[in-house]
Amino acid sequence: MAKENVSMHVARLVSSTVLNLFFIINLCVAENRKLGLSWSKKAAADAEAVAAISCSGHGRAYLDGLVLNEKGFPVCECNSCYGGPDCSELSPACAVNAGSGDPYFLEPFWRQHAASSAVVVAGWHRMGYSYSDNTYMSQELEKRVRILHSIVGNAVTAGRYIVFGAGSTQLLNAAVNALSTDNSSMPAPVVASIPYYPVYKTQTDIFQSINYKFEGDASLWKNSTSDATVNVIEFVTSPNNPDGQPNKAVLSGPNAKAIHDHAYYWPHFSPIPTPADEDVMVFTISKLTGHAGTRFGWAIIKDKAVYDRMIQYMDLNTMGVSRDSQLRALKLLKVVIEGGGREIFDFGYKTMRDRWQKVSETLSKSKRFSLQKIAPQYCNFFHKVRESSPAYAWVKCEREEDRDCNAVLQGANINGRNGSVYSAEDRYVRLSLIRSQDDFDLLFQRLNKLV
Amino acid sequence: MAKENVSMHVARLVSSTVLNLFFIINLCVAENRKLGLSWSKKAAADAEAVAAISCSGHGRAYLDGLVLNEKGFPVCECNSCYGGPDCSELSPACAVNAGSGDPYFLEPFWRQHAASSAVVVAGWHRMGYSYSDNTYMSQELEKRVRILHSIVGNAVTAGRYIVFGAGSTQLLNAAVNALSTDNSSMPAPVVASIPYYPVYKTQTDIFQSINYKFEGDASLWKNSTSDATVNVIEFVTSPNNPDGQPNKAVLSGPNAKAIHDHAYYWPHFSPIPTPADEDVMVFTISKLTGHAGTRFGWAIIKDKAVYDRMIQYMDLNTMGVSRDSQLRALKLLKVVIEGGGREIFDFGYKTMRDRWQKVSETLSKSKRFSLQKIAPQYCNFFHKVRESSPAYAWVKCEREEDRDCNAVLQGANINGRNGSVYSAEDRYVRLSLIRSQDDFDLLFQRLNKLV
């Protein structure tokens, strides 16, 4: 009896452990089967290994970064003033980069949304030129662009055409080209209100077109548009780069053709009082999601003939936008749209507002410097009256002798951009507030020392 | 004693199963830890799920394909003449697409190299404008481009500058722009030898430049270059599109500036007798790896001043090439370079040679049609004398009355491209041989019926 009992115990024990083994192995297999990962495993592991490289929170390693060490891993790329193999060394005397508009302020957002924003590109993804509708533009992406604008309320897209470009950059000249006319008696003047984004001039100049010519300050052309036979093309940047003002076109009349550059018309930077509804509007993910490097933008166009000319320009210039950029933009916009856009715009707005408040308070302590003022407006996205939280501080040196304001700031180890870059006086400097938190913290620290 | 034995057995059994459990669980955990997958899992699973959608071998689904069904999966995109939800339905009367140059012939190669060619893009990958050296071009990618040319032996890169572009397309005008001069007495004529790729004309025309003007047939300018003060810019396509000939520049002299378009100068299509060493050479991955949609090409430049002008053009046109395209091109070139390039060029050459032989044999049965002849040459890549295996069949209708050769072929349900598209007579038709195997098989079948 005792022996039988023992045998039964043993039998139970064996069967229970066998069952346990069975379930555990099953769990393991099921986990892998659920993921269904085979060919993508290696690439995923590579990407995660690079993402795990420690750059001390002051930099990041990229899959395509320089490989200098013997292990074959890419090196850390550090925020400005940080160095060393793991970006842990701060150079105290180094000049902070407040010049370029790299939108790293959104990098932490994407790190927080790593799983939803990653993209796996198969080796055979979209090898051909065309999507299934024989265009160079992803319909799924165009859908998301329209949804995005309806959520944010910053642009009317119903009944409008959409053209994709390599960032807004490529679309600027596509629009100039489309709005100028062939075989006209003189080149169409291309103008903008001072201070303006310098690419309007440098880009228009490089194409040396018979049909258009950059002519500078828009206000000088106010009386030339009513009876002219030639179109005058005006770049209207709203909010404006560099000063964040909600600019309107200064020219009017049948021959005044405006290109509205709305790169910064997102809740990060600006109240959204009303959906923009101009004839030619240009947007970009660069200042929306922060992916300047992806080179993806779009134009919203009312007129079919202008749209046709822009599409033709895009086809002949680059055969459309990289299908890889379009795939990535699709994934990013899906994340933006999730939850009605609240997450990214809350993050972006809070970050930018915080930075703006800090810079404003600091500079208000000094009579040597002044800062642009932007009137508060009701924001239909956040449902409240909002102060601006502009992308750039447009700083003026008030002392008579401080004619070169950037030199004054450089004396305090701050590298901004001269006012003359924006066709304004060098008494002004643009300071970029959209860079990494490290860059902003250093900028803030040095501004505090200066005032 | 018996009882003690039993106890010992039980103890052994328990400890052995516990150990087993321990090892199995460890294996499971280690497998996942080895892969180290966390945030990339979802994207990897999504990509593999889409790749697993069955399109009957006559199509493929893409991650960014149209989503029409309620399950949220993208639809199959079928090869021409195939249809239905899973591409299983062949429309017997449908016209085969032998027109466009989508390089799907390499799609099976990338499916076979799925693991090594996949790329995982993190949400925060390269958000800024610049690489760590403050340029818009990936140094790691430039390294691979140089290694590739030294392996293939098709171009000299030592001591040369490299410029990236959105496909070769964007680089063509960048080169025209760089080779023309500002403020010259007349626009530089831009010319090419008939038959030529139509984009040379349409692209040059759309920019309506003061500095250059498309003037058609190169041979008409033979006597105009020796004493002219204005540069004459000649597009030299070698091997030529559409006819596969190893073209040379027809113009010479100090004012003759050639842009050598070597899009097809790869072992897939052509023997490689010697490394090309011209002043301005343009290449693209479109006809190398087959990734036309990625829009990535490069120019190899001898002269620093020309290089500087091209870089400036790229910066102002699109602020460089999409960093996502560059990441993808890097991964693809790594696969190409592995094993000295033998795998992809063996695959590509065998595929193209097979197609060319079939088309040649079929058309040789008929006196109604003739095909271009290309002289065999010694190939330094394959170390033997090689026949050509051109990307396109350049078919001539020999009968007096067959002035519209494409119409003759359309009568047999074959859609090629009219000779006049290439500024030749419509007695010629270009048939694309670089499309999918389905497209080629249908083309071959219909050619056989026709002759």
Side-chain angles (χ1 to χ4, degrees):
Chain A
M1 188 73 176
K3 209 167 180 179
E4 255 170 49
N5 261 346
V6 170
S7 301
M8 267 186 59
H9 276 301
V10 171
R12 273 185 203 146
L13 193 69
V14 169
S15 57
S16 119
T17 47
V18 165
L19 264 175
N20 266 327
L21 271 175
F22 176 76
F23 286 129
I24 286 166
I25 291 170
N26 250 352
L27 265 177
C28 273
V29 172
E31 172 69 9
N32 277 330
R33 190 176 297 152
K34 198 184 70 191
L35 289 175
L37 298 190
S38 63
W39 54 266
S40 66
K41 267 186 196 169
K42 171 81 169 58
D46 287 351
E48 294 211 9
V50 169
I53 292 172
S54 166
C55 305
S56 311
H58 301 298
R60 74 295 294 159
Y62 294 120
L63 214 43
D64 56 0
L66 281 188
V67 175
L68 297 178
N69 52 39
E70 59 290 346
K71 284 178 199 154
F73 278 115
V75 299
C76 282
E77 302 188 14
C78 309
N79 294 331
S80 53
C81 297
Y82 287 85
D86 63 351
C87 302
S88 61
E89 297 158 22
L90 176 63
S91 305
C94 137
V96 63
N97 181 349
S100 80
D102 296 278
Y104 286 116
F105 77 106
L106 285 164
E107 193 183 47
F109 178 85
W110 295 107
R111 287 189 177 271
Q112 287 160 22
H113 294 77
S116 55
S117 62
V119 185
V120 173
V121 190
W124 60 91
H125 177 75
R126 292 253 175 245
M127 294 176 65
Y129 289 99
S130 304
Y131 290 89
S132 57
D133 61 351
N134 285 320
T135 71
Y136 296 160
M137 286 172 47
S138 158
Q139 282 183 66
E140 288 290 323
L141 180 52
E142 187 181 328
K143 269 190 228 167
R144 294 313 187 295
V145 166
R146 291 178 190 272
I147 292 169
L148 172 70
H149 284 299
S150 77
I151 283 173
V152 178
N154 64 340
V156 173
T157 64
R160 304 289 182 274
Y161 302 96
I162 289 184
V163 184
F164 293 166
S168 54
T169 314
Q170 192 181 19
L171 292 162
L172 300 176
N173 191 253
V176 168
N177 194 292
L179 294 174
S180 64
T181 45
D182 296 334
N183 309 316
S184 76
S185 57
M186 60 172 274
V190 179
V191 299
S193 288
I194 293 170
Y196 57 80
Y197 178 52
V199 170
Y200 300 147
K201 174 178 162 49
T202 51
Q203 185 188 67
T204 305
D205 283 351
I206 202 173
F207 288 109
Q208 292 279 302
S209 173
I210 294 167
N211 295 339
Y212 52 81
K213 188 165 191 290
F214 194 79
E215 296 283 5
D217 189 4
S219 62
L220 301 176
W221 291 81
K222 267 189 186 169
N223 301 322
S224 315
T225 51
S226 54
D227 57 355
T229 55
V230 166
N231 288 343
V232 179
I233 300 167
E234 180 184 0
F235 279 113
V236 182
T237 321
S238 183
N240 194 34
N241 172 6
D243 64 6
Q245 299 300 334
N247 281 358
K248 304 272 175 221
V250 303
L251 305 183
S252 57
N255 297 102
K257 305 287 176 189
I259 298 166
H260 280 82
D261 181 344
H262 287 310
Y264 299 89
Y265 195 42
W266 298 105
H268 308 314
F269 310 113
S270 167
I272 307 294
T274 177
D277 189 22
E278 296 101 1
D279 290 355
V280 176
M281 302 187 278
V282 177
F283 289 88
T284 166
I285 61 165
S286 174
K287 303 302 184 291
L288 160 64
T289 68
H291 292 80
T294 292
R295 312 306 308 129
F296 181 77
W298 61 94
I300 303 173
I301 307 291
K302 266 188 196 166
D303 184 64
K304 174 76 160 61
V306 172
Y307 163 76
D308 287 341
R309 278 174 72 97
M310 287 182 74
I311 287 284
Q312 192 197 18
Y313 179 97
M314 289 302 310
D315 291 359
L316 290 174
N317 188 351
T318 55
M319 295 199 183
V321 176
S322 161
R323 316 314 179 246
D324 300 283
S325 297
Q326 295 192 45
L327 174 65
R328 184 128 189 254
L330 176 64
K331 192 70 181 256
L332 297 169
L333 289 196
K334 281 180 182 173
V335 178
V336 169
I337 288 167
E338 257 171 31
R342 291 301 301 222
E343 264 200 280
I344 192 168
F345 294 121
D346 275 348
F347 180 95
Y349 171 54
K350 278 176 189 154
T351 306
M352 294 310 301
R353 185 195 54 190
D354 178 60
R355 293 182 180 186
W356 179 245
Q357 281 176 349
K358 284 182 164 169
V359 168
S360 311
E361 277 173 33
T362 296
L363 291 185
S364 69
K365 291 177 200 157
S366 156
K367 286 193 170 160
R368 191 173 182 188
F369 304 101
S370 66
L371 210 52
Q372 80 261 43
K373 306 236 179 313
I374 308 169
Q377 278 189 290
Y378 187 81
C379 176
N380 270 305
F381 181 77
F382 285 125
H383 303 297
K384 61 179 179 187
V385 174
R386 258 195 56 187
E387 306 281 328
S388 265
S389 44
Y392 308 106
W394 183 237
V395 178
K396 185 181 180 188
C397 279
E398 294 285 352
R399 282 188 199 158
E400 177 59 29
E401 66 271 27
D402 287 348
R403 279 177 205 90
D404 185 348
C405 194
N406 205 20
V408 173
L409 293 173
Q410 278 165 347
N413 274 334
I414 296 168
N415 274 336
R417 279 208 183 144
N418 293 333
S420 58
V421 168
Y422 306 91
S423 301
E425 289 173 60
D426 275 338
R427 186 170 290 289
Y428 290 90
V429 171
R430 190 191 84 165
L431 298 180
S432 176
L433 305 179
I434 59 178
R435 298 181 54 80
S436 70
Q437 195 60 40
D438 276 346
D439 284 337
F440 178 77
D441 289 344
L442 276 177
L443 169 66
F444 181 58
Q445 189 185 311
R446 287 181 187 170
L447 283 176
N448 271 309
K449 270 195 200 158
L450 181 68
V451 298
Chain B
M1 188 76 176
K3 208 168 181 179
E4 256 170 50
N5 262 345
V6 169
S7 302
M8 267 186 58
H9 275 302
V10 171
R12 272 184 204 149
L13 194 69
V14 169
S15 57
S16 119
T17 47
V18 165
L19 264 175
N20 266 327
L21 270 175
F22 176 76
F23 285 129
I24 286 166
I25 291 171
N26 250 352
L27 264 176
C28 275
V29 172
E31 172 69 9
N32 277 330
R33 190 176 297 152
K34 198 184 71 191
L35 289 175
L37 297 190
S38 63
W39 55 266
S40 66
K41 267 186 196 169
K42 170 82 169 56
D46 287 351
E48 294 210 10
V50 169
I53 292 172
S54 166
C55 304
S56 311
H58 301 297
R60 74 295 294 159
Y62 294 119
L63 214 43
D64 56 0
L66 281 188
V67 175
L68 297 178
N69 52 38
E70 59 289 346
K71 285 178 200 156
F73 278 114
V75 299
C76 282
E77 302 188 15
C78 309
N79 294 331
S80 53
C81 297
Y82 287 86
D86 63 351
C87 302
S88 61
E89 297 158 23
L90 176 64
S91 305
C94 137
V96 64
N97 181 349
S100 80
D102 295 279
Y104 286 117
F105 77 105
L106 285 163
E107 194 183 46
F109 178 84
W110 295 107
R111 287 189 178 272
Q112 288 160 22
H113 294 77
S116 55
S117 62
V119 185
V120 173
V121 190
W124 61 91
H125 177 76
R126 292 251 174 247
M127 295 177 65
Y129 289 99
S130 304
Y131 291 88
S132 57
D133 61 350
N134 285 319
T135 71
Y136 296 160
M137 286 173 46
S138 158
Q139 283 182 65
E140 288 291 323
L141 180 52
E142 187 180 329
K143 270 190 228 168
R144 294 314 187 295
V145 166
R146 291 178 190 273
I147 292 169
L148 172 71
H149 284 299
S150 77
I151 283 173
V152 178
N154 64 340
V156 173
T157 63
R160 305 289 183 274
Y161 302 96
I162 288 184
V163 185
F164 293 166
S168 54
T169 314
Q170 191 181 20
L171 292 162
L172 300 176
N173 191 253
V176 168
N177 194 292
L179 294 173
S180 65
T181 46
D182 296 334
N183 309 315
S184 76
S185 56
M186 60 172 275
V190 179
V191 300
S193 288
I194 293 170
Y196 57 80
Y197 178 51
V199 171
Y200 300 148
K201 173 178 162 50
T202 51
Q203 185 187 68
T204 305
D205 283 351
I206 202 173
F207 288 109
Q208 291 279 302
S209 173
I210 294 167
N211 295 339
Y212 52 81
K213 187 166 192 288
F214 194 79
E215 296 283 6
D217 189 4
S219 63
L220 302 176
W221 292 80
K222 267 189 187 169
N223 301 322
S224 314
T225 51
S226 55
D227 57 357
T229 55
V230 165
N231 288 343
V232 179
I233 300 167
E234 179 184 0
F235 279 113
V236 182
T237 321
S238 183
N240 194 35
N241 172 6
D243 64 6
Q245 299 300 334
N247 281 358
K248 304 273 175 222
V250 303
L251 304 183
S252 57
N255 297 102
K257 305 288 176 187
I259 299 166
H260 280 81
D261 181 344
H262 287 310
Y264 299 89
Y265 195 43
W266 297 105
H268 308 315
F269 310 113
S270 167
I272 307 294
T274 176
D277 189 22
E278 296 101 1
D279 290 355
V280 176
M281 303 187 277
V282 177
F283 290 88
T284 166
I285 62 165
S286 173
K287 303 303 183 291
L288 160 65
T289 68
H291 292 80
T294 292
R295 313 307 307 131
F296 181 77
W298 61 93
I300 303 173
I301 307 292
K302 266 188 196 166
D303 183 64
K304 174 77 161 59
V306 172
Y307 163 76
D308 287 341
R309 278 173 73 97
M310 287 183 73
I311 287 284
Q312 192 196 18
Y313 179 98
M314 289 302 311
D315 291 359
L316 290 174
N317 188 351
T318 55
M319 294 200 183
V321 176
S322 161
R323 315 314 179 247
D324 300 284
S325 297
Q326 294 192 46
L327 174 65
R328 184 128 189 255
L330 176 65
K331 192 70 181 256
L332 297 169
L333 290 196
K334 281 180 182 173
V335 178
V336 169
I337 288 167
E338 258 170 31
R342 291 302 300 222
E343 263 199 280
I344 192 167
F345 294 120
D346 275 348
F347 180 95
Y349 171 53
K350 278 176 189 154
T351 306
M352 294 310 301
R353 185 195 55 190
D354 177 60
R355 293 182 180 187
W356 179 245
Q357 281 176 349
K358 284 182 163 168
V359 168
S360 311
E361 277 174 32
T362 296
L363 291 185
S364 70
K365 291 176 200 156
S366 155
K367 286 194 171 158
R368 191 173 182 187
F369 305 102
S370 67
L371 210 52
Q372 80 261 43
K373 306 236 178 315
I374 308 168
Q377 277 189 291
Y378 187 81
C379 175
N380 270 305
F381 181 77
F382 285 125
H383 303 296
K384 61 179 178 186
V385 174
R386 258 195 56 188
E387 306 281 328
S388 265
S389 45
Y392 308 106
W394 184 237
V395 178
K396 186 180 180 187
C397 279
E398 294 285 350
R399 282 188 199 157
E400 177 59 30
E401 65 272 26
D402 287 348
R403 279 177 206 91
D404 185 348
C405 194
N406 205 20
V408 173
L409 293 173
Q410 278 165 347
N413 274 334
I414 296 168
N415 273 337
R417 280 209 182 141
N418 293 334
S420 58
V421 168
Y422 306 91
S423 301
E425 289 173 60
D426 275 339
R427 185 171 290 289
Y428 290 89
V429 171
R430 190 191 84 165
L431 298 179
S432 177
L433 305 180
I434 59 178
R435 298 181 54 80
S436 70
Q437 195 60 40
D438 276 347
D439 284 337
F440 179 78
D441 289 345
L442 276 176
L443 169 66
F444 181 57
Q445 189 186 311
R446 287 179 187 172
L447 283 176
N448 271 310
K449 270 195 200 157
L450 180 69
V451 298

